[in-house]
Amino acid sequence: MSGGVPLAGLTAGNHGRRLEAGEIADYLRSRPGLARFAPSGRELSVREVGDGNLNLVFVVRSEPDRPGVVLKQSLPYVRSMGESWPLTLERAAAEARAFEAYTRFAPELLPAWYGYDPDRHVLAMEDLADLRVWRAALNDGEVHLAAAAAIGRLVGRIAFHTSDFGTEAKARKALLAGSVNPELCEITEDLVFTEPLVDHEHNHWPPGVTGLVRELQRDPRLRTEFAELKHRFMTHGEALIHGDLHTGSVMVGGGRAVVIDLEFSFYGPVGFDLGMFWANAVFAAARAERLGRDAVFRGHVDRILAESWAAFVTELRGLWPTRVDRFFDDTFLERYLAATWTDALGYAAAEAIRRTVGYAHISDLDSLPEPARSSAAEAVLRVARWLALERRGIDSPGAAWSVVREEVER
Ligand code: SR1
Ligand code: MG
């Protein structure tokens, strides 16, 4: 259904016009493949549930307790800031492109995809009625055993199939050309790499870490590491990465783990996705410690980095014999894995610092009462500094996580 089917009554004048609850039944009936979600004579329940920084998200059901459809619409600005921060509507097109690619290679790890309406910038997808956002589940101390490995598998599969390993070189370049996403990349370049290390009006942090934040911002070694990570993010177009793979972009439940929110997707370094994800395991560990969660839950969080890395490596090694260019030899694969590991540790550091200091914080830490919030933030920042500065000498998930444990227990 993607590709711009013209809609009666939805003209260019509708660009950027938000969907209203009262028009959703007619909207669904006008869209190919979506009319079944708006049976005639049935009143629809429409709930706007978007809690991220950017978009509107509607859960639409014709029966309250049965899954219906989710509609996600981009607005011409950043939702959490309002119209003072304009943002391209085309982010929905970037998400649609990524959805189509990811669904091709890993359909079981995404919501079912029902298509894209480029006129209203609306994506339609499965209503994941029995699943919840992984960050919320982790905040509540829930264990979802298979989720970490699922994320590693997804990143590995996409890293293979959308790169020069799985796609013939000219086709891969065409994919890259069609996936540029400059406005969303700029958000990451600014919010993740630059702003947290300089004085910026977006920055804010818990009161107990002001001294440590100033130390980080004045540390020239950290600045250079972040410059390198940012430059690699801007130039290293390896694969169609997710681009915003934190635990708020994963939904879990009923034995499933699926990835959502692909609007930041572009051709970038694979380690960025792994590292961002791992930083979120650090937040969960710091929170769990402050809340005195039981050993089962803490053990679950402690294994997220190792399990996802192992699944990533296993997936790539499994697909490696099918690579399209045999010039890439087995020794090169080992080098690629080692470089991705080192990158990922650096990106984990960047995500950890920006979620503590920069514009977009996370509920894992922000919902803790003081002084727990400040002490959790301090642990996260200390881990981040160590990861950024020492990553080239950290040789295993066990070595990385032992320092996380030390810092969160301090
Ligand atoms: C202005 S957008 C802020 C953050 O929200 C998104 O989920 C990304 O993580 C982005 O950095
Ligand atoms: Mg998001």
Side-chain angles (χ1 to χ4, degrees):
M1 129 182 189
S2 84
V5 181
L7 297 176
L10 294 170
T11 64
N14 282 319
H15 271 264
R17 189 169 68 76
R18 58 189 286 161
L19 276 173
E20 300 298 340
E23 69 174 319
I24 283 183
D26 284 345
Y27 176 78
L28 288 171
R29 289 179 195 128
S30 76
R31 296 295 304 158
L34 298 185
R36 66 196 151 110
F37 296 112
S40 54
R42 199 81 62 68
E43 195 164 324
L44 298 183
S45 110
V46 176
R47 279 183 304 129
E48 204 286 301
V49 298
D51 63 353
N53 286 308
L54 296 182
N55 305 298
L56 295 173
V57 180
F58 299 95
V59 176
V60 185
R61 293 186 182 155
S62 57
E63 292 178 52
D65 300 325
R66 302 215 15 215
V69 62
V70 163
L71 300 176
K72 175 174 173 182
Q73 185 181 38
S74 59
L75 299 166
Y77 51 84
V78 171
R79 178 184 183 166
S80 59
M81 187 68 122
E83 297 186 26
S84 63
W85 189 340
L87 186 59
T88 176
L89 290 163
E90 290 308 316
R91 63 188 187 268
E95 177 156 9
R97 280 194 301 266
F99 236 115
E100 284 172 9
Y102 276 49
T103 297
R104 188 163 153 226
F105 300 119
E108 78 283 15
L109 297 171
L110 281 99
W113 170 238
Y114 303 146
Y116 175 52
D117 168 6
D119 292 318
R120 296 293 294 273
H121 308 281
V122 173
L123 303 127
M125 66 194 84
E126 180 183 357
D127 171 9
L128 298 160
D130 300 327
L131 281 71
R132 65 187 301 218
V133 173
W134 198 9
R135 185 183 307 289
L138 287 165
N139 282 352
D140 290 348
E142 280 179 22
V143 172
H144 291 272
L145 284 177
I151 299 308
R153 211 159 49 242
L154 175 76
V155 177
R157 208 173 303 163
I158 298 301
F160 182 86
H161 284 295
T162 66
S163 72
D164 288 302
F165 304 147
T167 301
E168 184 277 324
K170 287 196 287 301
R172 209 277 299 178
K173 289 178 180 68
L175 281 175
L176 183 151
S179 304
V180 290
N181 195 359
E183 292 86 355
L184 281 280
C185 284
E186 184 182 36
I187 288 181
T188 304
E189 289 151 18
D190 292 344
L191 269 57
V192 176
F193 300 110
T194 303
E195 291 178 8
L197 288 198
V198 300
D199 269 330
H200 195 282
E201 61 184 0
H202 283 160
N203 292 343
H204 57 115
W205 50 78
V209 295
T210 299
L212 182 51
V213 171
R214 294 300 181 210
E215 255 180 54
L216 300 180
Q217 290 177 331
R218 282 196 293 260
D219 186 338
R221 299 165 308 153
L222 196 62
R223 169 67 168 265
T224 306
E225 289 303 328
F226 270 50
E228 182 175 321
L229 290 160
K230 177 177 176 178
H231 186 253
R232 214 162 158 74
F233 177 85
M234 295 167 91
T235 58
H236 211 63
E238 288 178 339
L240 187 64
I241 67 170
H242 179 286
D244 197 28
L245 191 49
H246 52 83
T247 48
S249 297
V250 181
M251 297 194 66
V252 291
R256 279 177 86 189
V258 302
V259 163
I260 57 171
D261 286 359
L262 298 111
E263 64 260 52
F264 282 81
S265 172
F266 78 114
Y267 264 82
V270 168
F272 184 79
D273 278 352
L274 291 169
M276 178 178 279
F277 176 58
W278 294 346
N280 283 262
V282 177
F283 308 146
R287 177 185 174 86
E289 205 60 34
R290 297 299 171 286
L291 294 179
R293 295 281 191 224
D294 65 26
V296 173
F297 180 73
R298 282 187 285 124
H300 167 56
V301 173
D302 285 345
R303 287 189 297 276
I304 289 176
L305 187 155
E307 286 178 359
S308 56
W309 174 249
F312 169 79
V313 171
T314 302
E315 192 69 19
L316 265 169
R317 286 197 205 289
L319 291 165
W320 193 245
T322 68
R323 64 198 179 280
V324 294
D325 183 349
R326 310 285 297 187
F327 191 78
F328 297 125
D329 61 13
D330 292 350
T331 307
F332 168 73
L333 173 62
E334 298 313 311
R335 273 195 204 175
Y336 168 88
L337 290 172
T340 304
W341 163 256
T342 307
D343 273 4
L345 296 176
Y347 289 122
E351 167 75 353
I353 292 177
R354 74 94 169 214
R355 294 290 191 186
T356 318
V357 171
Y359 174 78
H361 282 215
I362 30 89
S363 55
D364 320 36
L365 301 193
D366 275 14
S367 64
L368 291 172
E370 287 293 353
R373 179 176 171 234
S374 283
S375 100
E378 181 178 345
V380 165
L381 292 175
R382 294 172 71 92
V383 167
R385 173 165 60 186
W386 176 75
L387 287 174
L389 298 180
E390 304 302 332
R391 63 203 164 104
R392 292 173 193 82
I394 304 171
D395 61 3
S396 67
W401 202 262
S402 66
V403 171
V404 175
R405 278 252 61 89
E406 212 175 281
E407 292 294 352
V408 302
E409 284 171 17
R410 196 191 259 264

